Structure formats: C-alpha cells, structure tokens
Amino acid sequence: MFDSLDALLLARIQFAFTVSFHFIFPAFSIGLASYLAVLEGLWLKTGKQLYLDLFKYWLKIFAIAFAMGVVSGIVMSYQFGTNWSVFSDITGPILGPLMAYEVLTAFFLEAGFLGVMLFGMNRVGKKLHFTATLMVAVGTFISAFWILSVNSWMHTPVGFTTGANGQLLPEASWFEIVFNPSFPYRLVHTVIAAYLTTAFVVGGVAAWHLLKDKTNGHARKMFSMAMWMAALVAPIQIFAGDMHGLNTMEHQPQKVMAMEGHYESHPEGAPLYLFGIPNDEEQRLDYAIGIPKLSSLILKHELDAPLAGLDTIPDEDQPPVLPVFFAFRVMVGIGFAMLGIGVWSMFARYRKKLYDWPWLHRAAVLMGPSGFVAVIAGWITTEVGRQPFTVYGVLRTAQSASPLDAPAVAASLIAFVVIYFAVFGAGTWYILRLMSHPPHLGEKGVKRTEKGPVRTAGITPGPTQNPGRGNEPLPDHEVAPAE
Amino acid sequence: MSINFDLTTIWAFIIAFAVFAYVVMDGFDLGIGILFPTFEVGPERDRAMNSIAPVWDGNETWLVLGGGGLFAAFPLAYALILPATYPLIIAMLLGLVFRGVAFEFRWRDPGHRRIWDAAFTGGSFVAAMAQGMTLGALLQGVTVTGRTYDGSWFDWFTPYTLLTGVGTVAGYALLGATWLVWKLDGESQRHARKLGKRAAWATFLLMGGVSLYNVTLNAQYAERWLSAPEIYYAAPVPILTGLVALALLRALSVERHSKPFWLSITLFFLGMAGLGVTMWPYIVPPDITIWDAAAPEKSQVFMLVGTAIIMPIIIAYTAWAYWVFRGKTEDEGYH
C-alpha cells in the first residue's frame, strides 16, 4: 500500500514536471507563430525591409522554441499511457478521438509547413512562404483548441456513460463533448494568455535594446507593437479570466473556494482574502488579511450574497488549498501588472515618450518573462484545483495511475528532471543569446551555411559597434530585400 | 457486430499504416543520426543534416499519430503496452529529445557542436534500439490480468528483444544510408553507398534471425509460418523479401540514386506484412485481440470520418513539402 502511494505521488510529480516544462514552449510559440505571420504579412503588404528583418530575427528564436515544444510534447502524448494507463483505458473512448484529431488537424499541419517556413523562402516564393507561415500559426491554434477541449472535459465531463467494462463511453453528440461547459472559457483565457506571454517577451527584448540605444528603429517597432498588445489585450484577459472564474464556480465550486481561501461558508457576504496561509489540517486560513464582502461582490455581484465554503465539501473531495490559493494570487497579480504596463505605455505614447522613458523600458524588461510565470501559475490553479480527481467527480487521481513500481517511476522522474534542465536549459540559453543581439537591417534567416559569414550570434558585432541603424550592406548570400 | 468487425479491422490497418509511415520516414532520419559519426566533420555532416532538417518534424509526427491513434482506437492496448515497456518508452522519448533539439542547437552553438552531434547520434541510436525492443517485447508476449499489465518492469529485457532492437538499428541505418545515396553526390554519396551495403547485409541477417526466432516464440506464430494451408498465404512474404534484397544489393552496386531507398522501403513494407501475418488478430499477444482492445463504435466512426477527410490532405501537403526540397542537398543559403 505504501509502495503504491509512493508510485502515485512520483507519477504525479513526473506529470506536473513534464507538462509544466512543455507548456512553456507552446505558450510562447502559439503567440510567436501569429506574430511572425503578422510580420511577414506586413512585409508583403508594405514591402518594408524592417518587417522582414524582424521576421527573421524572431524566426530563429521560434525555430528553437518550437523544436523544444515538439520534443517535450511527444513525451506528453505517451505519458498518458506510461504513467496513467488506467486513466487512458477508461477515458480513451472519449479523449482518444479528440487527441487523434489534434494530431491530424494540428500537428501535421505545423510540422508539414514548418520546414518550408524555416528553410523554403528561396524555393517557393513569397506568397507561398507566407501561406506556410500562416499554416504553422493556424496549426498552433488548432492544437490549443483540441488539447484544451480534452483538458476541459476532464474538468467538466459531459455526454458520457459508464460501460460494463468500466470505460467512459461517448453517449451524447461529439459536439457536446468537444464543447463541454468549461471549454470556451478555458480556450479564450489560455490562448489570450499565450498571446500576452509572447507580447511581453517581445516587449521585454525590445525594451532591453531601447535601453541600450533608443534610436534602434527595429526595437522601436517591436516595442510599439508589444505595448499595443499589452494595452488592448491585458484588460480583455482580465475580463476573460473573470468569466472563466464564474464558469468554474458554477461547475467546480470547491476549486473557487480553494482559490479564495474560503474554508468557511459566509452566509452574509464573503471577504476577499488578499493574503493568508491556508491550513488544510485545521481547515482555516491563518494570518488572513481580507476585504469584507468583496469576494461576494466579485463572484455574485452583490455585497451580501452568501458564499459556501469548503466546510460544505467532504474532506476527501477537497483540493489542497495552499498551491491553488497562492498560484491564483500570483496569476492575478501578474495580470494586473501587465495591465499597468499597458496603461503606462498608453500614457507614454500619448506624451510621445514611448521610446524615451527608461523606467518604462526597465519595467518592460522585468515583465518580459512574467507571462510564463502567470501561465504556469494559472495552470497550477486550475489543475491542482481539480484534485483529487483526474476526471472531475468521476475518476479519482489515485485510481488513474499505471501499475508501476515506485523505483521505475522514480528513475524516470530523475531522468526527466536532469535531462530537461540540461537540454532545455541550453536551449533557453541559446534563445537568450539570440535575444541579446539587437535586431538590425539585413537580419539573417535560419538558413544553414558554412560558407560566407557564419550567421551565429557570436560573430555579430556587439551592440556598441552596431547600433542597428542599418547602414551595413547586405551580405550577398542573403535573401534579397523586398522590391 | 459485423459493422464493428469492419471498423475495428479498418482501424487496425490505419494504425498499422501510421506505424509503417513512422518507421520508414523517421527511420531514415534516425538512421542518419546513427551513421552520423562516420561522416566527416564539416560540409559532409552539414549536408547530411540539411537533407532531413526540413522534414524530420513532419516525419516524427507519425509517431504521435501512432501513439494517439492507439489511445483513441485501441485504448486498452495503449494502456497495456506502455506500462509493459515503460523503461523502453521513456528511453525512446528522451532519445528523441536529444535527437530533436540537436537539429537546432548544433547550428546555434558551433563551440559545442561536437556535443550536439553526439546527442544527435546517441539520441537516434537509443530511440531506434528502444523502438525495436518494444516491438520485440510486444511479439514475445505481454502478461495481462483483467485490464492491466501484470508483469514486472523488466520483462521486456530478453535476448530476443535485444535482437529485434539491433535489427531495427540496422534497418534504420539502411534507410538512412540509402536516403543519403539519393540526396548527396560525389564522395559523400560514395560513402553512403558503402554504408548502405553494410547496413543492407546486417539488416538481412538480423531480419532472418528475428524471423527464425519468431516461430519458436509461440505456437500460433509457428503455425502461421510452418504449416499448411497458412504457409501458402505466408510464403510470398519471405520469397519477395529475398528478391527485393537481391535487387537492393544490385542497386547499391551500380550508379543508382533513388532506387536503393525505394527498395529499402519495400523491404520494410514486407517486414511489416510479415509482422501482420504473425500477429493477426492480436494487438497485445498472446491474449488481447484487436476486438478486445477496440474503442466503441461511436468513437471509431467519429475518428474515421476525420481521418478519411484529413489523411489525404496530410499526405498531399507532406508530399508537397518533400517536393519543395527535392533534388540533391546543396549548401543551403549559398545562391
């Protein structure tokens, strides 16, 4: 018994680790693929070299991020079977087809056109190349669509019946299963999160280069585009998150109770706790600091609305409150910080100082990686909040795992941790190194050549010699600029 | 029941097709990884890598379809095979991590290119070996009680699975070498041709060895291959394999470009057919048939509609992507 508990815990840690690591890359590449499509589209429309330069600058980064997303994603597609075989057997008739559709409609599309996007500029012509870029961007979105449908069904399962062999069998229409109650909210919230994550990375990189040289036209364009995103999309995201939260309260009330730290029911208006230390043992929030009645106002739009607490939920059905409570606060905090940057940038734009305020740029650099933190925090909020179930209310996590011995899972977990940190650490380092070079005129693509000037980062002149004003001639083997 | 019979059989063929597509398409990628150390550092290696850089990701996607398709169409098989071969699957996935990132990283970090080249080879070798051993572990039989795997976590490790593992490595090396015969020219092509011959011999011997070993594994396999009337249906497979093998050796000896590659694929196709003859109708020998493991009809129909529409489109744009990068691989970017 003790052994099987250990194996279960290890399997959970392994899944949490591999999925969190994996999710970082798509969160970036979903947004970046669209950004690349926008840049290439603007280049085709205006013919401005600047857009092509930015396209190539981010394409190199995209290639690395996408490769890491692919290899860590394949791990996920097998992880269900290796470590959660009982879950796979039981949910396969419903979730299997959705994931098969993801492969058919998204993975092949991305992978099939990626080669042309990365290496085919000179072989297929501009329009067809742009089509390839669009297909990759669309593919990343379709992928998000299906996998979030799968994930949402695990939160809000509908349209199934339990078969004689214990499997969950599809009963209602597939439309109902795919568009299960939490799916539209989760899809919108997650995809916007990916766009914001990318926008803040782009903004952070641009701000970094503006701090060094505020005349760099390429960095200015990037910064302006990123700040438009922050200003326009961050408020939308906060609204979408609120809607998602209300949807969660309808379908998974104990998750919202954990997010709010509401161990106790509040018949006459519940406080919004800003801080506290959740204590599952004693079922109370220690050191709580809260604003009276505000939670009822947010969740029920009424100050005195009663809100049930975890005391209405049997102990064995409660999620662990601490990770949910804190992860939620981190996510919300970052969301409002993003909004703050957006507002600040609008003010700077209005004053015509968007490229001149170093403190705005410093803040944008600081916020550069914030999207990743928010995305992971949001993920922890929703996934830990689903515990102790894998399929909410239907299948318990403890009954989902593979019949594996603890040493087998422990060994694989160690291997994943060591290799992921080494390999993806190196990849992240390469990305940061590419980002540390200012975007400039005649930016080189990802084409591979050993002849002529090697296009790796190390040989590019440093920022002080090359302020990116774009006065150096194009090397002759580069793609010709737009006519 | 008769509809279900047909659907399940169709799905078995679709999964078999996905596995076959993966094996030959990522097979030559992995084969190039396995052979990589024998290529000279510099343009020769770069060209070998460039010949697959635009297509490897699409090729690898067939593995996701094989896994995802199995999860969808035969969830029980997915839930039995993966725990039964747990260490092999983990090793394969980690091997594919190293192999996949090497495509990007070796260009981004010339100072450590040797390390990423080694990761490319090591990852490819481990993935190939693990895939071959997984196949062997499946063929030799998986212990099942009820709906769960009931063996220990080292059941997959036997002399037989080592043989299937090495055989797969050799077969992938053959695919990789013949792909390079097609895509390279000059001295590099001659080198690939030489490697192709060696890999071809190794593949023949190991394929033969595995086939002989197979009939000793269980009574059904022996019956399929050794007794009448089954032998009349089965016999064409080894006979054709022999003919293709001879044609392949000849094609590698004379100045052919694409022919050895197509013959190698034919060889793999025959191997797959032989596998089908051996295993049918079991998806997890010796107990679980495709019907035992099949998803309900509603799931099968839903997926079949999508597959029938989307698969031809996938094949079309994949073929287009290959067409874009047709011809001998040059030093890209030097126009």
Side-chain angles (χ1 to χ4, degrees), chain A residues 279-429:
Chain A
N279 185 340
D280 282 355
E281 202 102 314
E282 304 289 332
Q283 293 276 305
R284 64 160 193 258
L285 194 66
D286 295 335
Y287 312 106
I289 303 168
I291 302 169
K293 313 234 181 210
L294 192 57
S295 182
S296 285
L297 183 69
I298 292 170
L299 291 168
K300 295 280 188 189
H301 304 293
E302 201 181 316
L303 278 174
D304 293 325
L307 268 181
L310 285 166
D311 51 6
T312 62
I313 307 288
D315 283 5
E316 68 271 18
D317 291 347
Q318 289 183 10
V321 176
L322 189 125
V324 180
F325 182 84
F326 281 116
F328 178 65
R329 270 147 194 75
V330 168
M331 176 187 75
V332 172
I334 290 173
F336 279 98
M338 286 176 160
L339 179 68
I341 294 276
V343 171
W344 191 356
S345 76
M346 288 305 282
F347 184 59
R349 210 185 284 271
Y350 172 73
R351 296 279 302 271
K352 305 212 182 305
K353 296 285 182 194
L354 188 62
Y355 313 115
D356 299 310
W357 283 353
W359 279 107
L360 173 62
H361 300 158
R362 286 185 194 115
V365 170
L366 186 71
M367 289 291 287
S370 65
F372 297 108
V373 181
V375 156
I376 296 296
W379 206 241
I380 291 170
T381 305
T382 195
E383 298 302 297
V384 178
R386 191 193 56 221
Q387 297 300 330
F389 299 99
T390 45
V391 181
Y392 180 74
V394 178
L395 183 64
R396 284 180 184 272
T397 307
Q399 293 159 346
S400 301
S402 297
L404 290 168
D405 297 332
V409 189
S412 63
L413 175 60
I414 291 167
F416 275 119
V417 171
V418 170
I419 290 172
Y420 272 32
F421 274 110
V423 170
F424 299 139
T428 307
W429 169 247

Side-chain angles (χ1 to χ4, degrees), chain A residues 4-14 409 413:
Chain A
S4 75
L5 254 178
D6 269 352
L8 175 70
L9 185 64
L10 289 165
R12 289 181 63 188
I13 295 171
Q14 181 167 316
V409 189
L413 175 60

Side-chain angles (χ1 to χ4, degrees), chain B residues 89-163:
Chain B
I89 300 293
I90 302 291
M92 173 190 81
L93 295 170
L94 292 173
L96 291 175
V97 167
F98 281 110
R99 188 282 296 256
V101 299
F103 278 100
E104 283 301 318
F105 290 4
R106 81 185 290 275
W107 298 102
R108 291 287 151 229
D109 193 0
H112 297 104
R113 186 165 291 166
R114 277 163 176 280
I115 292 179
W116 295 117
D117 283 2
F120 185 54
T121 297
S124 299
F125 177 83
V126 168
M129 190 78 192
Q131 287 169 8
M133 292 182 80
T134 302
L135 174 67
L138 188 62
L139 278 167
Q140 74 181 9
V142 171
T143 314
V144 176
T145 305
R147 294 181 77 84
T148 48
Y149 171 62
D150 199 24
S152 80
W153 57 291
F154 267 101
D155 283 7
W156 50 271
F157 192 80
T158 62
Y160 172 71
T161 58
L162 281 175
L163 191 66

Side-chain angles (χ1 to χ4, degrees), chain A residues 14 60 63-64 66-68 70-72 74-75 77-83 85-89 91-101 103-105 107-109 111-116 118-120 122-124 128 146 165 167 169-174 178 402-405 407-409 412 415-416 419-420 423-424 426-427 430 433-434 445-452 454-456 476-477, chain B residues 42-43 46-47 50 53-69 71-73 75-76 78-80 82-84 86-87 89-90 92-94 96-101 103-105 107-110 112-113 116 147-153 293-296 298-307 310-311 314 317-318 320-321 323-326 328-335:
Chain A
Q14 181 167 316
K60 285 175 279 192
I64 298 177
F66 194 85
M68 292 195 283
V70 166
V71 296
S72 60
I74 291 180
V75 171
S77 72
Y78 279 82
Q79 189 102 124
F80 288 104
T82 51
N83 292 74
S85 63
V86 179
F87 167 86
S88 301
D89 180 29
T91 64
I94 288 178
L95 298 184
L98 306 191
M99 288 172 68
Y101 267 99
V103 182
L104 289 169
T105 58
F107 291 161
F108 277 110
L109 198 64
F113 285 95
L114 180 74
V116 176
L118 293 181
F119 309 114
N122 289 348
R123 286 177 178 255
V124 298
L128 211 45
W146 289 110
N165 57 12
Q167 285 183 318
L169 309 175
E171 193 179 47
S173 72
W174 283 99
V178 171
S402 297
L404 290 168
D405 297 332
V409 189
S412 63
F416 275 119
I419 290 172
Y420 272 32
V423 170
F424 299 139
Y430 297 144
R433 214 165 57 173
L434 284 170
V446 286
K447 284 178 299 166
R448 321 304 203 194
T449 175
E450 286 304 290
K451 300 180 182 171
V454 179
R455 40 104 286 266
T456 36
D476 59 1
H477 67 283
Chain B
D46 297 341
R47 239 175 276 162
N50 283 345
V55 292
W56 75 271
D57 189 9
N59 296 346
E60 199 178 62
T61 306
W62 291 92
L63 179 68
V64 188
L65 182 64
F71 178 34
L76 180 60
Y78 180 80
L80 291 172
L82 298 190
Y86 186 79
I89 300 293
I90 302 291
M92 173 190 81
L93 295 170
L94 292 173
L96 291 175
V97 167
F98 281 110
R99 188 282 296 256
V101 299
F103 278 100
E104 283 301 318
F105 290 4
W107 298 102
R108 291 287 151 229
D109 193 0
H112 297 104
R113 186 165 291 166
W116 295 117
R147 294 181 77 84
T148 48
Y149 171 62
D150 199 24
S152 80
W153 57 291
K298 189 167 171 147
S299 308
Q300 291 179 328
V301 171
F302 177 54
M303 280 186 295
L304 193 60
V305 172
T307 306
I310 302 162
M311 189 61 79
I314 291 171
Y317 64 64
T318 303
W320 174 72
W323 173 251
V324 166
F325 296 97
R326 68 193 173 276
K328 298 287 179 190
T329 305
E330 305 292 332
D331 295 312
E332 282 288 324
Y334 196 71
H335 298 279

